[in-house]
Amino acid sequence: MSSSVCSLRVTLTPLPYYSPSLRSHSSLYLSSPLPPRRRSSHRIYCAAPSIDERSVIRLGIPSKGRMADETLALLKNCQLTVKQVNPRQYVAYIPQLPGLEVWLQRPKDIVRKLVSGDLDLGIVGLDTVCEYGRGNEDLILVHDQLAYGDCHLSIAIPKYGIFENINSMSDLAKMPEWTSERPLRIATGFVYLGNKYAKENGLKHVTFSTGEGAFEALPAMGSADAILDLVSSGTTLRENNLKEIDGGVVLESQAVFVGSKNSLIRREGVLDITHEMLERLEAHLRAVGQVMVTANMRGNSAQEVAERVLNQASLAGLQGPTISPVYCRGSDGTIKVEYYAINICVAKKDLYKSIRQLRAIDGSGVLNYNLTYIFEEETTRWRDLLERLGL
């Protein structure tokens, strides 16, 4: 055996720097093949840390498509703008939430990584949570109505042939064509939810198969008898001669804010970031569709003005109008109060009606402006989350 000593030079290869709070974490090291043997230096690549080792908090959001665009828009409207140094990277950050990594992933991978512990929080469609979470008790809904991505998971059948007079799930299940040897074939990307629905509703002689591409074409091709797919407007179904049937809706879905119960309880900082995000989301969604209206109104007292305002149904505001005196200098040089300023929050759809009512009770100088947040008392969803976490 040779007595010569071989020297091994070790180097670490980090991802490009993008956030001061993230640079030191071993999760940032790239994984790639070892260099050729003829080179004298080798690299050591660090694996992602386990839940006990990782200290940085991770939020997963969709990386592509309309859901991704609407998620980024919602966060921006909450002053939580997602920043990417390099658009080709799948990791970003939110300046207002130091210590948080934002990972851009496929929706189904967000759920899978929440379950595995690689992510702590996520924003994704409820349909994806239910299909890929598969009832995992570690997944917990923080906010179940983010007001975008609305759709429903529904069974659809052809309008023609043996299905022409079939208009309900009961009719479909009773068709004599379906047997154990020749079951109803439903093509879907939601096999778990399809089988769960069939079991809960006592449907027999039905099979669910998955595949790629447009499921709407499969019945016409003879590859399936029906489909189970997400429906928004229903236009695609109609254009492919398909129809929904009564009782065929498996799930109503929209974007939700979901977390790992394990992370929320065990990982330091996750609960605090969740609280802030939830407060911002709740306050912003409460403000959407509302405007603040300000007007001046002549009156002898604030009480008199309040009575005139509150007699108008659409001018009640959240709890009532805010009324304050308007001070002006009279012709004799003294300070007088002849007008009162009123501030009320009204629904955008009722704005013109409210302006007309203000004019009818001698309101003038009417201004209106959009609201970013309406913060109320501690959100019910936060108290409910703490209760479900046993905290």
Side-chain angles (χ1 to χ4, degrees), residues 186-253:
I186 301 180
T188 184
F190 297 86
V191 174
Y192 171 78
L193 287 176
N195 281 310
K196 183 172 181 287
Y197 174 82
K199 182 178 180 181
E200 291 175 350
N201 289 272
L203 299 179
K204 299 179 180 179
H205 309 317
V206 57
T207 60
F208 293 88
S209 60
T210 189
E212 300 293 335
F215 290 109
E216 292 86 355
L218 297 182
M221 296 175 65
S223 302
D225 303 305
I227 67 170
L228 172 63
D229 206 1
L230 294 174
V231 180
S232 295
S233 65
T235 300
T236 305
L237 291 182
R238 291 190 292 271
E239 290 178 346
N240 286 275
N241 288 317
L242 298 175
K243 64 181 179 182
E244 295 183 79
I245 53 179
D246 292 341
V249 175
V250 173
L251 180 73
E252 296 286 349
S253 181

Side-chain angles (χ1 to χ4, degrees), residues 29 98 136 148 153 158 160 163 170 195 216 218 232 243 271 316 353 357:
Y29 294 109
N136 190 294
Y148 68 95
L153 183 62
Y160 49 84
F163 300 100
S170 177
N195 281 310
E216 292 86 355
L218 297 182
S232 295
K243 64 181 179 182
L271 201 60
K353 177 182 177 181
Q357 288 185 346

